[in-house]
Amino acid sequence: MNKTETIIYWMNTECFNEASNFEKGLNQLNEERHTITLALNQREDQNLSLAAGLLLDLAVEASGFKADVLHDHENKPYVLNHPELFISCTHCHPYAAAIISKQPVGIDIESQRINFSDIEKHYYSDEEKNYLQSFSNNNDRQKARTDLWCRKECLIKFDRLRDLKALSGLRPPLGYRFISQFIAGYSFEILIPDTSYSIQEVTIHDFKF
């Protein structure tokens, strides 16, 4: 990879509501992602899948490689013939994002309108629950609750563990850090190594259609 060790791209997928943009993007996908995208029933979901595929391809290209992004038996993306590269993607209407690095990484976007109260009861540690109770404002507490869930999702993508109480969203693994990207009404959390990184919002004009 180049000077930047970790590259992150994100975008608003509503640009693919326009049929011509959707078709142009679809024609850029490899056969596997093309099939995955068209198998979805809702146009919103198709837009998200399309954007995730394009962003993953863009991240691989920006890293100096030319290779297809495929999916393993757990539906996790990987770069064909390049096990030294680690990639991940996420989407929550209308946003999608992708990340690539030479070390394991994680990324997640969630709407802060989702009710995470039941999830908090079952999957947050006592320390995390006490942390959330320190917020007197309900909106601030909901944001923090969603941020924590995003961080847990990042940790799952990082090492594929499923013990959510053991995955503390308050502290990243040694040699890593959480960074947050602001999107109004959403939590966008990224787990990256303690190295340089770049993050860029992508528009339809950034794709070579």
Side-chain angles (χ1 to χ4, degrees):
M1 294 177 73
N2 299 324
K3 295 179 181 179
T4 300
E5 289 293 321
T6 300
I7 299 172
I8 306 139
Y9 289 121
W10 66 280
M11 70 178 298
N12 186 322
T13 67
E14 290 177 330
C15 60
F16 294 118
N17 288 338
E18 185 175 325
S20 63
N21 288 339
F22 183 84
E23 290 300 322
K24 289 176 183 177
L26 198 63
N27 290 335
Q28 298 297 311
L29 299 179
N30 62 42
E31 183 177 354
E32 184 185 77
R33 174 63 71 166
H34 189 281
T35 300
I36 291 170
T37 299
L38 290 185
L40 299 169
N41 294 323
Q42 301 297 320
R43 182 57 179 272
E44 286 182 0
D45 294 333
Q46 291 180 343
N47 287 351
L48 293 170
S49 176
L50 170 60
L54 292 174
L55 291 175
L56 286 168
D57 289 342
L58 190 64
V60 172
E61 182 180 346
S63 301
F65 296 87
K66 188 172 180 59
D68 279 343
V69 175
L70 302 179
H71 296 77
D72 64 17
H73 66 284
E74 293 184 341
N75 203 34
K76 301 295 184 182
Y78 68 94
V79 184
L80 183 64
N81 297 326
H82 288 283
E84 76 278 15
L85 298 177
F86 295 86
I87 58 174
S88 185
C89 64
T90 184
H91 44 68
C92 180
H93 179 73
Y95 298 102
I99 184 172
I100 187 168
S101 182
K102 283 193 172 180
Q103 298 182 60
V105 285
I107 189 168
D108 193 57
I109 300 174
E110 300 286 349
S111 170
Q112 293 169 6
R113 294 185 295 273
I114 297 174
N115 186 349
F116 282 94
S117 298
D118 288 339
I119 291 175
E120 177 186 339
K121 291 176 184 176
H122 293 96
Y123 300 116
Y124 286 18
S125 67
D126 289 340
E127 181 184 13
E128 289 169 333
K129 291 176 183 177
N130 290 335
Y131 165 73
L132 293 175
Q133 289 307 311
S134 69
F135 292 89
S136 58
N137 182 283
N138 287 335
N139 290 333
D140 291 342
R141 185 183 302 118
Q142 175 64 5
K143 180 185 180 304
R145 183 184 285 121
T146 312
D147 288 348
L148 280 176
W149 181 255
C150 278
R151 290 185 173 194
K152 287 178 181 287
E153 290 280 3
C154 288
L155 288 162
I156 290 171
K157 293 175 181 179
F158 170 75
D159 60 16
R160 302 195 180 191
L161 294 178
R162 295 295 186 270
D163 185 354
L164 294 179
K165 283 189 176 180
L167 298 175
S168 173
L170 295 175
R171 290 177 300 278
L174 184 64
Y176 278 78
R177 56 180 160 157
F178 286 110
I179 61 172
S180 305
Q181 177 67 27
F182 176 76
I183 303 178
Y186 290 78
S187 292
F188 185 1
E189 295 291 319
I190 310 160
L191 178 63
I192 63 170
D194 282 331
T195 55
S196 59
Y197 74 94
S198 67
I199 183 167
Q200 177 184 335
E201 181 179 5
V202 173
T203 71
I204 193 68
H205 305 294
D206 293 302
F207 297 113
K208 299 175 182 178
F209 293 159

